[in-house]
Amino acid sequence: MNDQGDGWLLERDGKVWTFTINRPETRNSLTWEVRGALLETIGAAERGDDCNALVITGAGDKAFCSGGDVGNQLASLDDWPGDTMERLQFIGEIARRILTTRVVVVSAVNGGAFGGGCFMALAADIVVAHKRAQFGFGFAKRGLVPDWAGFFLLPRLVGLAQAKNLVLRGMTLDAQRAYDMGMIAELVDDDVRAKAREVAGEIAAGPRIALAMSKQVLVRSFETGLDGMLTYEMLAQTVARRTEDHREGVQSFFEKRPPVFKGK
């Protein structure tokens, strides 16, 4: 079952959903409608148990996402600061939800990912990129600073020294260098969306509760001390051990067969 709107498309294939930014004529730049649809999709994925993994990608083969729509940016140059802050809070909420939602998020970076589009891709739990992809950090070249949780993400992915280098020089990286720096989990030279859906399908078939808790503990790992992380582990493991999926995992091990998880 598919849904679509102005500039976006949502495909549902079992427990794997794919959200496509469908504006190839603008290199998949982001309008407010597309941003809102992505946020609503994450919320819908969290409700119930219809979705275990969400793939985010861009239409065509040239761009994943080029960031904000330039026309909108020009129109907002003289906006009141309060209006700007309200819009940035909305963008920050999308980034926060990608990072913290219990649903595992996979980005399929099929081409250029620039500005906010770059950090949207990197906010995913697993980044799958085509070898032709590029990652652009050119905010400084437009007199801006990173948003989309970029200040949170980048030092955690590449370290503080490299984060400063990328942001302060407004650099653009090819996919191989981004992979070498640890930004990308999978680098492919064929169908990047198929690979991303394969990864998402593998995750979607896993123990949903255990995976959701693992994701939510991991995202807190850099700002939580040892005692706090041990407490998170204790609580999460206590919950996981009471799930039907844990029982199935143990039983399948002794029966020498692949586990069949039900997400319970």
Side-chain angles (χ1 to χ4, degrees):
M1 182 172 61
N2 299 339
D3 288 326
Q4 61 182 354
D6 186 8
W8 61 273
L9 173 67
L10 177 62
E11 303 167 85
R12 299 179 180 88
D13 183 9
K15 300 283 187 179
V16 176
W17 293 6
T18 301
F19 183 92
T20 301
I21 306 166
N22 191 26
R23 305 184 75 228
E25 70 282 359
T26 67
R27 299 183 66 83
N28 295 319
S29 62
L30 292 168
T31 63
W32 290 106
E33 180 169 347
V34 173
R35 293 183 181 99
L38 176 56
L39 185 59
E40 290 178 7
T41 295
I42 296 169
E46 288 181 318
R47 293 190 290 271
D49 59 357
D50 292 336
C51 177
N52 287 355
L54 173 65
V55 176
I56 301 175
T57 191
D61 60 2
K62 293 183 179 179
F64 170 80
C65 175
S66 59
D69 183 85
V70 175
N72 290 339
Q73 292 175 352
L74 287 173
S76 64
L77 286 177
D78 296 321
D79 279 357
W80 185 253
D83 294 334
T84 299
M85 292 178 68
E86 185 175 345
R87 285 194 294 269
L88 289 171
Q89 286 176 336
F90 185 76
I91 290 171
E93 177 62 12
I94 303 171
R96 188 186 71 82
R97 294 290 291 277
I98 293 173
L99 286 161
T100 62
T101 175
R102 68 166 181 81
V103 175
V104 175
V105 180
V106 180
S107 59
V109 187
N110 49 300
F114 296 97
C118 175
F119 287 124
M120 179 172 61
L122 296 179
D125 302 300
I126 297 176
V127 182
V128 181
H130 196 279
K131 288 184 176 179
R132 66 169 170 262
Q134 292 182 306
F135 295 81
F137 304 88
F139 288 90
K141 294 182 178 179
R142 301 293 179 265
L144 293 171
V145 302
D147 48 22
W148 279 90
F151 286 119
F152 176 89
L153 283 165
L154 204 53
R156 286 163 170 76
L157 291 171
V158 301
L160 184 58
Q162 286 290 5
K164 289 180 178 179
N165 189 40
L166 293 170
V167 171
L168 300 181
R169 295 171 65 189
M171 295 178 67
T172 295
L173 303 181
D174 61 35
Q176 184 62 57
R177 187 170 181 193
Y179 177 79
D180 293 340
M181 293 176 69
M183 298 182 194
I184 299 170
E186 297 276 353
L187 189 60
V188 300
D189 57 6
D190 47 9
D191 191 336
V192 67
R193 296 183 189 88
K195 181 62 177 180
R197 290 188 180 109
E198 176 187 332
V199 171
E202 175 186 338
I203 293 167
R208 177 172 60 90
I209 297 172
L211 294 178
M213 290 190 298
S214 293
K215 168 179 174 171
Q216 291 170 339
V217 173
L218 281 167
V219 79
R220 293 168 172 83
S221 61
F222 279 84
E223 61 267 12
T224 305
L226 175 59
D227 289 343
M229 291 308 296
L230 289 172
T231 300
Y232 279 134
E233 289 177 7
M234 175 185 65
L235 296 173
Q237 191 73 300
T238 299
V239 173
R241 287 177 63 85
R242 301 295 297 175
T243 63
E244 292 182 21
D245 281 345
H246 170 59
R247 186 178 297 275
E248 165 63 10
V250 173
Q251 188 171 342
S252 65
F253 173 80
F254 285 107
E255 294 176 358
K256 295 181 172 55
R257 60 172 176 80
V260 180
F261 295 119
K262 298 180 179 178
K264 298 179 179 180

